Each structure stands twice: as structure tokens, then as C-alpha cells.
Amino acid sequence: MIPRFAFLKLMQGFGRSSSWHRIMRPDDANIVGNVHGGIILKMIEEAGCIIGTRHCNTQNGDRCLAALVRVEKTEFLSPVFIGEVAHVTAEITYTSKHSLEVQVKVMAENILTGAKKLANKAALWYVPCSLQNVDKIMEVPPIKYDSTEKEEEGRKRYETQKMERLETKARIEEVVPPPPNPDDLPKEKHSVGFSQSSLIHLVGPSDCTLHNYVHGGVTMKLMDEVAGIVAARHCNTNIVTASVDAINFHRKIMKGCVVTVTGRLTFVSNKSMEIEVLVDATSLVEAEKGKYRAVSAFFTFISLDKHNRPLPVPPLKINGEEEQRRFEEGNARYLHNKAKRLAEKQQQ
């Protein structure tokens, strides 16, 4: 059973790749009428989960479900509009002993004109969890590669993401101060504290997998919503998701937990904003275990005018050494990503 996206029609079968499509409806829209970035992220994650689960259940042993552990940088290349058809294609591109990489692309089609455009692309990493014991990680059936070069490229991506996840883990326990009361917002606009925002959500059955843990796509949608609120408060304009840096899923969130999703600006360039989003969880029935950091990521938003043209972003006002440190780290990520995009353009 596929809740919510039952409209998705499977077009290809059980190999290393599959694809499906769904028409985008009015309840998928953000406040300016485009398809919500969180909806796209949720579709991408479900695509990866389906193909990953299918692949991992082609062998004997415990039945299992592919659990999301990391999303690499996700590019929002073109907006998707209501009435367009989203074609989602997923392909398994690398397998290690206990994990697999899935590459997902989203094409948007205007069914009135037949015009198609590449809207999104992402790489996701999953691990197969046994349905009998959620803490038991199953082995992943190996795939056949088109060439030894393709296998080596996949291995390098695997080692890189593994190292980055370990580095991220070292700083995930940082305590985030509570968001300011809207009535007591700092008088100084465009500061970190002025736009910092939080969303609180009680995890219900419709949010969960067969294990009663939250779908990664549900969490990503909440994170995108909070990041959007932060960006809108800073710019006071129409804003859209431009990209998402690696999303790391550190710990599982179970049904009945209360999640607090907090977003804060870390860096601003002339035309973009980097927003750090942190997800903390607390169990209602096991409150003595306390709050823990479940997910972390960096979202990039841009500001648009009424004609969807980029607008300059107000500079971020920095207060204190900690905010300065995060700003400098964000600037380094910005310059790294900019250089990477230029290198990719030159290779095309």
C-alpha cells in the first residue's frame, strides 16, 4: 500500500530502475501556486524507498524495508507547476555490503504542450532494516555495473558520504536555543534571531513506515517548510528552495514522538540564503529518555519578485562569535558549491 501517492503509476518493473508519474494538484502548492519543495522531496524519497526495498527483498532471509540514512545535495533546477505531470525515475547506482545508493530524477511535463523539463535530481543512501528486528541491518544484494569505472566511481561516492556522515555526527548534539516569541522579536531586522523559526509536530500513523518509524520524506517536507518560513521572514518576499545540502538521518523517529524542527540562517550571499535545519525528537511515552537530535541539513533558498526573477537578499546581521563562525563555514560551503557548479558546466 502506498499512502498519499497512490496516484503514482508504476511504469517499469523490478530491475535496477523504475519510474512512475503523478499529476500535481492544488493541494501540492505553496502559497504562491508552485508545487511545494517539500512535496518534491517526499516524492523523491518514496521513489528511493520503493526501489531500494524491492531490490533488498530479492534474496532469501528476513523481509526488510529500505530506511533512508542520507540524502546528497539535491538540486531544484526548475519549478513544477500545478497541472503538470511529474515523472519520477529511480535507479540503483551502487551497493555496498549494507547500503545502497539510489539516483532519482524528476521530470515535469506540461501535458497541454508536451514540453518537458528536468526539475530535480538527487542521490539517496538507504540501509535495509529487518521487519523482524528494526535494529538488524541486512546485507544488500550486489548489482552488476556497466564497467569497472562505474563501480569505482560509486565506491568513491560511498567512502565520501561515509566520512562526511561521521564528521557531521561529531556536531549534531549542539543545543539550539528556543525560537524567540513573535511578540518579543528583536527590533533589529535581518538578524539570525529575527527569522529563526520552529515547527512542532506529533508523529502519527500516517507519517510512518511498516516499522512505525517516520518516513524520511515526511521529515524532509517539515524541514523544507521551516526553512521556507525562515527565508520568507528574512526577505519578506516570495522565496523558493534552490537546493538542499546533504541531509543526514542520525537516529530514527518513532510513532508517538514529538518532533521540533528548527531553522536558522547561517549564511547569506547577494542572491541566496543558507538555512540550517535541525530536527529534535522526544518520545511522549518514554520522556525519561530525553530529547535527541534526529536529522540535520542545510537548505538554500532564493528570493523572487512577482515575475519569478531573482531579487537581492538583505545582508545578514551577525551577533557574536558563534554566529560569525557559522557564517564563515556557510561561506566556505557556498564557494565550494559555486566552484563545483562551474567545473560541471565546463565538463558539459
Side-chain angles (χ1 to χ4, degrees):
M1 182 178 71
I2 305 176
R4 179 70 176 83
F5 292 111
F7 308 97
L8 296 174
K9 180 180 178 182
L10 183 63
M11 297 165 65
Q12 292 183 354
F14 288 82
R16 280 174 49 187
S17 65
S18 62
S19 61
W20 43 87
H21 59 256
R22 183 170 81 85
I23 192 165
M24 307 314 294
R25 308 177 309 178
D27 60 345
D28 297 320
N30 57 25
I31 58 175
V32 294
N34 302 336
V35 174
H36 197 295
I39 293 290
I40 302 296
L41 288 171
K42 192 174 180 183
M43 291 173 63
I44 287 172
E45 195 280 325
E46 289 193 350
C49 178
I50 290 170
I51 193 172
T53 299
R54 278 183 174 156
H55 178 74
C56 292
N57 283 285
T58 57
Q59 61 185 358
N60 295 326
D62 292 359
R63 298 300 88 191
C64 59
L65 186 72
L68 182 66
V69 293
R70 179 177 168 89
V71 182
E72 300 293 355
K73 188 174 181 65
T74 304
E75 300 283 356
F76 287 73
L77 304 172
S78 300
V80 182
F81 299 102
I82 302 308
E84 290 186 330
V85 174
H87 300 269
V88 187
T89 304
E91 180 183 7
I92 298 171
T93 48
Y94 183 76
T95 56
S96 68
K97 185 176 181 181
H98 293 290
S99 66
L100 66 158
E101 179 192 52
V102 180
Q103 301 270 357
V104 181
K105 291 183 179 180
V106 180
M107 297 290 296
E109 177 192 6
N110 183 323
I111 55 177
L112 300 180
T113 65
K116 292 183 180 180
K117 60 190 176 185
L118 178 61
N120 304 80
K121 58 181 181 179
L124 306 92
W125 291 89
Y126 291 84
V127 297
C129 297
S130 167
L131 291 179
Q132 280 69 47
N133 178 5
V134 70
D135 295 320
K136 180 181 178 182
I137 306 300
M138 307 295 292
E139 291 192 7
V140 176
I143 61 171
K144 293 182 179 179
Y145 299 93
D146 295 334
S147 64
T148 54
E149 289 80 8
K150 290 285 185 183
E151 182 176 8
E152 180 61 19
E153 289 171 1
R155 187 190 66 77
K156 288 180 180 178
R157 292 193 301 272
Y158 167 75
E159 294 295 341
T160 299
Q161 66 87 27
K162 187 177 179 181
M163 182 176 66
E164 289 179 355
R165 288 192 74 225
L166 290 173
E167 290 174 354
T168 306
K169 235 175 184 179
R171 57 179 290 272
I172 63 171
E173 298 304 329
E174 177 191 355
V175 176
V176 180
N181 187 315
D183 296 328
D184 300 324
L185 286 175
K187 293 180 181 179
E188 187 177 30
K189 280 191 171 184
H190 306 137
S191 63
V192 174
F194 183 85
S195 58
Q196 181 178 318
S197 304
S198 286
L199 181 154
I200 297 174
H201 178 74
L202 175 62
V203 176
S206 63
D207 299 322
C208 296
T209 67
L210 298 174
H211 284 117
N212 285 327
Y213 287 95
V214 176
H215 275 290
V218 170
T219 306
M220 289 194 291
K221 185 174 184 295
L222 293 172
M223 296 172 78
D224 185 75
E225 288 177 354
V226 168
I229 293 170
V230 173
R233 282 181 169 166
H234 183 73
C235 293
N236 200 28
T237 62
N238 176 27
I239 47 84
V240 293
T241 313
S243 65
V244 185
D245 258 7
I247 304 176
N248 291 290
F249 291 77
H250 308 292
R251 294 176 61 180
K252 300 181 182 71
I253 304 172
M254 197 168 187
K255 181 177 70 177
C257 280
V258 173
V259 294
T260 303
V261 189
T262 302
R264 61 185 176 190
L265 278 163
T266 49
F267 171 76
V268 165
S269 69
N270 184 43
K271 291 187 178 178
S272 67
M273 297 160 277
E274 181 190 72
I275 298 154
E276 184 178 29
V277 182
L278 304 168
V279 181
D280 297 323
T282 308
S283 173
L284 283 180
V285 295
E286 298 178 313
E288 67 278 0
K289 291 187 177 181
K291 182 182 291 189
Y292 62 89
R293 179 65 40 79
V295 192
S296 62
F298 291 97
F299 285 67
T300 299
F301 276 72
I302 58 174
S303 174
L304 301 176
D305 64 16
K306 61 182 180 180
H307 302 295
N308 289 327
R309 293 176 301 209
L311 284 171
V313 175
L316 182 62
K317 295 177 180 177
I318 301 297
N319 295 305
E321 293 181 2
E322 191 63 26
E323 289 184 9
Q324 183 64 40
R325 178 187 64 80
R326 290 199 295 267
F327 186 89
E328 291 171 359
E329 291 174 351
N331 185 40
R333 285 187 292 270
Y334 169 76
L335 294 174
H336 172 77
N337 290 330
K338 189 175 181 180
K340 189 176 179 181
R341 286 195 302 270
L342 289 173
E344 289 173 351
K345 275 187 177 180
Q346 291 172 355
Q347 291 174 358
Q348 292 176 353

